[in-house]
Amino acid sequence: MATIRHEFYETDEYLTLSIFDRGADPAQVKVDLENRKVSYTHGDKSLVLEPLKGQIDPSTSTFTVGKVKVEIRLAKAAPGRWGGLTGDAPDPLANSAASSTSSETTTRRVDLKKNWEGITTEILSSEKEKSTEEDPNVGGDSTLNGFFQKIFGDADDDTKRAMMKSYSESGGTTLSTNWDEVKKAPVEVKPPQGSEWKKWN
């Protein structure tokens, strides 16, 4: 079995272990958690970390399978920094565990269940097109271009000529539908406020 690259970071309450297993299949990932042990298996890849520097609570620890890595969030049984991931550090809970009547280790298989139906519904509803009443900016440039195409398509010959002449002579900064005004002289360039027109050779 091949071992996998991993790293971790911690807070006083949690230790987050990142296992870099690109394209891991959530259905085939197996994570076993014990008080001072983490086991990860996916196909022929495995990682066993034992003994952990401190005890964890397997019942409140979780993991997520991403595209690039699997992240295991280990809930610490006692708050504090470990300063490392594995090793024979003095465990503050070891004395209390030995004195308790039941010192058995808790093993739990963490299963990640996805609600694929809910995810599909959410994606489809977010992709549903809004109307212009719901969002006036819906469609962006394509809606604006459609509006101008409709004006151009429904216009008479003089209006079409005015639109073509004003748009081309102004470098796309002016659009006029008044042929009587446009035919008299070249249409001047009117860049948007705060912009400067430059002619490129």
Side-chain angles (χ1 to χ4, degrees):
M1 286 196 166
T3 56
I4 302 174
R5 184 172 75 91
H6 62 281
E7 60 185 39
F8 77 97
Y9 63 91
E10 66 176 324
T11 64
D12 287 339
E13 293 80 25
Y14 293 96
L15 184 135
T16 302
L17 174 64
S18 297
I19 301 172
F20 296 93
D21 190 2
R22 182 179 294 274
D25 180 5
Q28 295 181 1
V29 168
K30 182 181 177 199
V31 176
D32 290 317
L33 303 173
E34 297 178 22
N35 287 346
R36 292 196 66 184
K37 179 180 177 182
V38 174
S39 301
Y40 171 83
T41 310
H42 176 241
D44 65 339
K45 301 173 188 171
S46 71
L47 177 69
V48 178
L49 300 171
E50 180 182 33
L52 296 174
K53 279 244 182 170
Q55 288 191 25
I56 62 168
D57 181 2
S59 63
T60 57
S61 298
T62 60
F63 76 95
T64 56
V65 179
K67 290 181 180 179
V68 177
K69 65 182 177 180
V70 176
E71 215 169 66
I72 304 173
R73 190 168 186 214
L74 304 172
K76 294 180 179 179
R81 300 287 175 133
W82 293 357
L85 188 55
T86 58
D88 287 324
D91 186 1
L93 296 177
N95 295 337
S96 62
S99 64
S100 69
T101 56
S102 168
S103 62
E104 60 193 51
T105 349
T106 309
T107 303
R108 180 174 85 102
R109 166 121 160 93
V110 183
D111 283 326
L112 182 64
K113 302 282 187 217
K114 287 267 189 194
N115 179 3
W116 293 110
E117 191 65 35
I119 292 171
T120 304
T121 306
E122 182 182 329
I123 290 171
L124 291 175
S125 65
S126 68
E127 290 178 353
K128 189 173 139 184
E129 288 190 28
K130 295 180 179 177
S131 67
T132 51
E133 288 81 31
E134 293 173 335
D135 183 2
N137 297 322
V138 73
D141 287 343
S142 63
T143 303
L144 187 61
N145 287 338
F147 171 70
F148 287 130
Q149 287 172 357
K150 184 177 183 321
I151 291 174
F152 190 82
D154 295 343
D156 60 14
D157 287 341
D158 284 345
T159 304
K160 287 180 181 178
R161 220 172 315 173
M163 290 176 76
M164 295 294 289
K165 184 176 188 293
S166 64
Y167 189 80
S168 60
E169 288 181 356
S170 70
T173 61
T174 304
L175 184 63
S176 175
T177 56
N178 187 349
W179 176 246
D180 292 332
E181 182 183 297
V182 172
K183 71 178 178 182
K184 295 177 186 174
V187 179
E188 113 182 35
V189 175
K190 295 179 185 173
Q193 188 175 1
S195 301
E196 181 182 334
W197 176 260
K198 289 186 177 182
K199 190 168 187 174
W200 299 95
N201 296 336

